[in-house]
Amino acid sequence: MPSIDRRLFLRAGLAGAGGALLTACSRVSESTPFIQPTGAEVRAAEAARRPGQVREFQLIAQEGQADLGGPAVRTWMYGDRLPGEPIRVRAGEVVRARLTNRLPQETTVHWHGLALRNDADGVPGVTQPPVPAGGELVYEFTAAHPGTYWFHPHHGPQLDRGLYAPLIVEDPHEPLGYDEEWVVVLDDWLDGVSGTPDEVLAELTSMANMDHDMPGMDHDMPGMDHDMPGMDHGATAPDGDQGGGHGDMAMPAPSPSASSKWPHMMMNAESDLLGGDAGDVYYPHFLVNGRVATAPETRTARPGSRLRIRLINAGGDTAFRVALGGHAMTVTHTDGYPVVPVETDALLIGMGERYDVLVTLKDGVFPLVALAEGKRAVARALVRTSAGARAPEPDVRPSELDGRLLSYDALVPADAVRLPGKTPDRTITLALTGSMAKYDWAINGRRYDPKVIEPVRSGERVRLSFVNRSLMWHPMHLHGHTFALGASGVRKDTAIVLPGATVHADFDADNPGIWMIHCHNVYHAEAGMMSLLGYRAGKGEPK
């Protein structure tokens, strides 16, 4: 494998540490000639993006104290704020971001959703060696397409700390008319409260080594036992149930396992919208822009003004159902790409997904509520357009949460981004397999192996067929590309695949390199639900 461009390494120590990793990575590719992340084809694709003005940014990954609006936690962040300082550029500009790693372990940065050059994608052992503690690395790439994106580590479960921030690529010819903009980052939180993400991952994956005689595990099917403690099937929803319709089921409130051996395991998290089991992990807090629901961020604006809200789900294990009390939302984009505007009351947002909406604000104070789907807890912020109005109580659940809920089928891509009709040249079937009982999440029955790469060729129309053979939902993410989803053809890079469902995602192979496909539940991914897709070098058909 060609060595990573030396100008990316600002310290000799990092270059030295990278050598062993690159050697390991070369064993992946020498027997199969894939285009490498630093190959000529990658450089040519970057040049074709016609890089513009270079914008410099500094990212310092470090441990620090975060105030969640009352609870104070020690966590890892970019800089000293949660979420990290947004990066904002105009389409066509070059992001030059210098990462300084002051963490006690190695890390990387992945630029989620961008069709960028392969050697800047931030996948350790694939597109780069990880940046060691005390090391530095410069990421440089053209942000070619406008939209709402974000960045986070791609190393272990670090994403489930505070290492994330928005990346906004502005359209120099913005067609939307609005007065103000608000970036809203949703998150589930446990770091520094009930443990660390590393402890959670160790707890969950340790189940693979058990004899599976644990209370609450079903021996016959990959899911949770229907007779486990706390699952009262005769229960009815109390008046004023937080979830209401759309699948927050009539069950006891989700809670951590009573077992001291499994303190982070979630019990009773169920959602019809998500096809049953809503999540694996118990989180004590849910956040909007780093704040708990009892101490919400307040966005002030004028009544009658038109507000653009950019919604990002940075959670590790939680889908959020989002609504703004007293208002309908007009959806204009998903995962950075424009759609034919469509009105809705609520959105279901899986981990890694983004939506842009427009709202014409009324007079008063209104809660923006993100219901942790199936977990019957909320993240919350406020929109205030009247100085004298009284804010709603933290437990208020806007009726819009149970109103019109947008589906993928209702999203139609804008003409400018519609993928032209074409029969796929290649179909890659990705069976999503595994169970909570063994925590053996995988693709095609195989846990992540960097030596297994699905081949494609530049210029092909490729169909990814996600076939969910598990009893849990998975938000599946493709690096370096966007795909046209299902019958509607809406352009996305992350899509929810429900239990038992098959989702077809078509994309044009126009960004050479080696790219990851994975579940964006960070614990499913780290347990093994990841795979690689590589562009074949030279001529002839891949075997």
Side-chain angles (χ1 to χ4, degrees):
M1 175 176 179
S3 61
I4 298 289
D5 190 340
R6 288 322 223 207
R7 68 189 175 83
L8 295 179
F9 294 90
L10 304 181
R11 293 188 181 178
L14 177 56
L21 282 149
L22 291 172
T23 299
C25 190
S26 69
R27 291 197 297 270
V28 173
S29 57
E30 283 176 351
S31 62
T32 52
F34 290 105
I35 293 171
Q36 297 301 314
T38 56
E41 297 91 342
V42 172
R43 296 194 298 273
E46 176 69 357
R49 296 183 181 101
R50 304 176 65 181
Q53 178 184 353
V54 175
R55 302 284 304 281
E56 305 259 3
F57 301 92
Q58 177 71 53
L59 296 178
I60 300 176
Q62 62 186 10
E63 186 176 14
Q65 188 90 351
D67 179 6
L68 306 183
V73 297
R74 295 292 294 179
T75 189
W76 298 354
M77 300 179 289
Y78 292 127
D80 57 1
R81 58 172 284 177
L82 178 72
E85 183 73 30
I87 286 179
R88 187 177 286 269
V89 297
R90 288 164 67 89
E93 292 183 332
V94 174
V95 174
R96 182 182 290 160
R98 180 181 305 218
L99 171 68
T100 300
N101 184 9
R102 295 180 183 170
L103 302 174
Q105 62 180 236
E106 58 195 19
T107 192
T108 69
V109 179
H110 168 59
W111 311 89
H112 183 112
L114 287 169
L116 77 176
R117 57 183 300 155
N118 190 219
D119 57 0
D121 193 45
V123 179
V126 177
T127 66
Q128 66 162 94
V131 182
E136 293 187 344
L137 177 64
V138 170
Y139 291 90
E140 184 168 327
F141 57 88
T142 303
H145 195 281
T148 301
Y149 307 98
W150 61 301
F151 56 94
H152 59 80
H154 220 288
H155 194 282
Q158 292 178 355
L159 164 63
D160 216 19
R161 296 182 187 260
L163 291 164
Y164 56 82
L167 171 57
I168 308 301
V169 182
E170 297 176 343
D171 189 340
H173 308 291
E174 178 60 65
L176 296 180
Y178 54 93
D179 302 301
E180 300 185 51
E181 181 182 300
W182 187 24
V183 180
V184 171
V185 183
L186 311 173
D187 193 19
D188 42 20
W189 192 272
L190 59 82
D191 192 38
V193 180
S194 59
T196 69
D198 296 279
E199 291 168 347
V200 174
L201 181 61
E203 178 184 318
L204 294 170
T205 55
S206 69
M207 289 190 289
N209 300 316
M210 299 296 290
D211 62 6
H212 308 301
D213 289 331
M214 299 164 47
M217 291 298 174
D218 190 334
H219 293 232
D220 299 318
M221 55 190 277
M224 300 299 270
D225 182 64
H226 293 278
D227 297 320
M228 66 183 170
M231 277 211 166
D232 182 359
H233 293 274
T236 56
D239 291 340
D241 178 80
Q242 295 177 8
H246 286 316
D248 257 16
M249 300 170 68
M251 300 174 62
S255 61
S257 167
S259 169
S260 61
K261 197 168 192 175
W262 317 104
H264 300 100
M265 189 182 297
M266 189 96 186
M267 296 295 177
N268 305 334
E270 295 285 334
S271 165
D272 287 342
L273 284 179
L274 297 175
D277 193 348
D280 300 337
V281 180
Y282 177 77
Y283 289 91
H285 300 302
F286 298 94
L287 311 179
V288 171
N289 288 346
R291 308 282 293 184
V292 295
T294 53
E297 175 179 278
T298 299
R299 175 74 187 197
T300 58
R302 294 174 290 102
S305 62
R306 195 163 170 83
L307 177 66
R308 179 179 190 169
I309 307 176
R310 299 180 185 259
L311 294 157
I312 302 169
N313 185 352
D317 180 70
T318 304
F320 289 97
R321 195 192 325 162
V322 181
L324 178 61
H327 294 77
M329 301 179 290
T330 299
V331 177
T332 63
H333 296 71
T334 180
D335 291 358
Y337 274 65
V339 299
V340 175
V342 58
E343 190 174 277
T344 189
D345 295 314
L347 291 165
L348 181 68
I349 311 178
M351 296 84 77
E353 290 190 290
R354 293 91 62 210
Y355 284 91
D356 291 23
V357 301
L358 290 177
V359 179
T360 300
L361 296 175
K362 300 177 181 179
D363 192 4
V365 184
F366 307 96
L368 179 77
V369 175
L371 175 71
E373 183 63 32
K375 299 182 178 182
R376 290 182 294 285
V378 299
R380 175 175 175 265
L382 296 174
V383 176
R384 177 180 288 276
T385 61
S386 173
R390 181 177 177 178
E393 296 297 323
D395 60 351
V396 167
R397 306 292 184 261
S399 61
E400 286 79 8
L401 282 173
D402 302 316
R404 295 167 297 174
L405 185 72
L406 193 73
S407 68
Y408 290 158
D409 287 344
L411 291 169
V412 177
D415 288 341
V417 300
R418 182 185 295 275
L419 206 61
K422 181 182 177 182
T423 301
D425 300 296
R426 184 184 308 279
T427 296
I428 299 173
T429 299
L430 302 168
L432 312 181
T433 59
S435 71
M436 184 66 181
K438 295 183 180 181
Y439 223 77
D440 55 349
W441 304 111
I443 293 179
N444 293 333
R446 183 197 298 265
R447 293 187 182 186
Y448 174 61
D449 180 350
K451 294 185 288 297
V452 177
I453 303 176
E454 297 283 354
V456 301
R457 284 202 177 280
S458 291
E460 289 184 328
R461 172 68 56 82
V462 179
R463 169 165 292 175
L464 301 178
S465 289
F466 297 106
V467 182
N468 191 349
R469 294 179 180 162
S470 78
L471 293 184
M472 197 160 183
W473 68 285
H474 304 286
M476 299 304 297
H477 174 50
L478 170 64
H479 286 207
H481 304 75
T482 62
F483 44 70
L485 189 63
S488 72
V490 62
R491 299 294 298 277
K492 290 181 64 62
D493 56 69
T494 309
I496 292 172
V497 186
L498 295 176
T502 295
V503 171
H504 299 302
D506 292 359
F507 70 94
D508 285 335
D510 57 6
N511 195 14
I514 300 176
W515 301 98
M516 182 159 275
I517 307 168
H518 65 95
C519 177
H520 223 277
N521 182 313
V522 67
Y523 299 103
H524 292 185
E526 290 304 314
M529 193 172 274
M530 302 190 292
S531 189
L532 295 175
L533 180 149
Y535 283 62
R536 186 82 173 222
K539 297 181 179 180
E541 281 302 307
K543 296 180 180 179

